[in-house]
Amino acid sequence: MEEEEIKNQHESAMEYAQAVDGIIKFLTSFKKGKNFSGNNVKGQRKKSDFYETPYSMTRHLLERESFDKTLSVCEPACGDGAMTKVMKEKGFWTKDKVTAYDIEIDFLTETKQYEYIITNPPFSLAFEFVEKAKQVAKKKFALLLPLSYLHGKKRYDDIYSDRKYGLKTVYVFTRYPMLGDELRKDGKYRTGMMVYAWYIFENGYGDSPRIEWIDNNSDVVHKEKKKKAKKKAKKKKGKGRKKNVSSKDKG
């Protein structure tokens, strides 16, 4: 038990160090003209603003937030379909209820309406996506955004002060998920330098938003486990070599 606590403390310290490093890079970026709003592990943002969402992050949302799966849902920034793949899993939506598209259709000029919208929007267009989603989503919409998106005078005035289609819930991930890596089938990921959250806006909601947490610790690829796996593979490889050598000696 003590050993497990030490491991958790070590990982928390590593995360804190990464966060501090990210803040330093962010502050120094103003002189260089860089954007660290959605960093990868090197502290650099992809030019395409394209960050696939690990499967587990979408599952957490669908398991925590209430959606009527008999109603329509739209994913207007689907990329390669990471989110929609989860939406169509057993227990969620049927394929005929899910609409998904990306750059082939400009969401900001969308004229159709859907009951729900769930997406990880391009950060450079997050404000516009929120404004448009309020017109397109009849009931509610969920956007995956950095936790820092809660900050800002314009956002407060134009988005968070809305008492007709208000921010209802913010689901904060307890660990920093790394967006930008190649997706793993098991939904796991390395830790990055950004805190992410699901922002839930609901039509007709006018009270103050509430904050809830999503414990995603089990989704993180732990360094200790990776080391053990490598060590085991190396040991296995070494045994194989010894066998080959001994068989040659016998020959």
Side-chain angles (χ1 to χ4, degrees):
M1 188 69 182
E2 289 181 2
E3 188 179 342
E4 187 67 29
E5 286 180 7
I6 292 170
K7 284 182 182 179
N8 290 335
Q9 287 174 4
H10 176 70
E11 286 172 4
S12 297
M14 288 294 290
E15 281 193 52
Y16 179 76
Q18 283 183 329
V20 171
D21 183 56
I23 292 168
I24 292 169
K25 287 179 179 178
F26 177 77
L27 293 173
T28 56
S29 69
F30 288 104
K31 292 181 181 179
K32 299 176 183 178
K34 292 181 180 178
N35 178 2
F36 289 102
S37 55
N39 304 14
N40 59 19
V41 74
K42 294 178 181 177
Q44 298 170 331
R45 189 167 178 81
K46 290 185 178 180
K47 290 181 180 179
S48 62
D49 208 6
F50 173 59
Y51 291 82
E52 286 194 283
T53 309
Y55 304 125
S56 57
M57 294 181 75
T58 304
R59 288 193 192 102
H60 279 303
L61 169 70
L62 300 185
E63 289 166 359
R64 290 289 295 275
E65 183 64 21
S66 175
F67 294 96
D68 185 341
K69 308 304 189 304
T70 65
L71 302 178
S72 62
V73 61
C74 177
E75 214 290 46
C78 67
D80 291 334
M83 276 194 186
T84 52
K85 184 177 180 180
V86 177
M87 291 179 197
K88 295 174 185 177
E89 287 178 349
K90 189 176 179 181
F92 298 134
W93 281 276
T94 54
K95 292 180 180 179
D96 62 303
K97 296 295 181 183
V98 180
T99 298
Y101 55 80
D102 203 273
I103 56 174
E104 66 273 13
I105 297 177
D106 184 0
F107 173 65
L108 302 182
T109 61
E110 177 67 271
T111 56
K112 294 180 182 178
Q113 283 191 306
Y114 304 90
E115 267 72 30
Y116 307 117
I117 286 174
I118 299 174
T119 191
N120 175 0
F123 187 79
S124 58
L125 294 172
F127 183 88
E128 290 82 356
F129 261 65
V130 173
E131 293 286 274
K132 187 64 180 179
K134 289 181 179 182
Q135 300 170 23
V136 178
K138 295 178 184 178
K139 291 186 174 292
K140 72 170 80 169
F141 61 93
L143 301 186
L144 182 66
L145 291 166
L147 186 61
S148 59
Y149 202 74
L150 285 171
H151 168 76
K153 175 63 175 167
K154 182 173 175 58
R155 294 168 192 162
Y156 172 75
D157 290 339
D158 298 346
I159 296 176
Y160 304 129
S161 294
D162 187 348
R163 293 294 177 262
K164 293 181 180 179
Y165 206 134
L167 177 64
K168 184 177 183 180
T169 311
V170 180
Y171 292 104
V172 184
F173 286 92
T174 58
R175 301 290 301 272
Y176 305 132
M178 169 60 74
L179 272 63
D181 277 355
E182 186 177 345
L183 294 184
R184 292 170 49 122
K185 290 181 180 180
D186 60 8
K188 293 182 181 294
Y189 41 78
R190 296 182 297 157
T191 52
M193 294 189 292
M194 296 290 292
V195 182
Y196 281 90
W198 280 107
Y199 291 66
I200 313 299
F201 293 83
E202 188 170 301
N203 196 358
Y205 186 78
D207 293 331
S208 298
R210 69 175 187 270
I211 297 176
E212 294 192 18
W213 284 265
I214 292 175
D215 185 359
N216 59 326
N217 186 57
S218 61
D219 301 327
V220 172
V221 177
H222 295 277
K223 291 181 180 179
E224 288 296 321
K225 289 182 180 179
K226 285 176 76 176
K227 284 180 182 178
K228 284 181 181 178
K230 282 184 180 179
K231 196 174 180 181
K232 193 175 181 181
K234 196 174 181 180
K235 195 175 181 181
K236 193 175 181 182
K237 196 174 181 181
K239 283 183 178 179
R241 284 176 180 172
K242 284 181 180 179
K243 283 182 181 179
N244 290 333
V245 170
S246 60
S247 61
K248 284 180 182 179
D249 290 340
K250 287 178 182 178

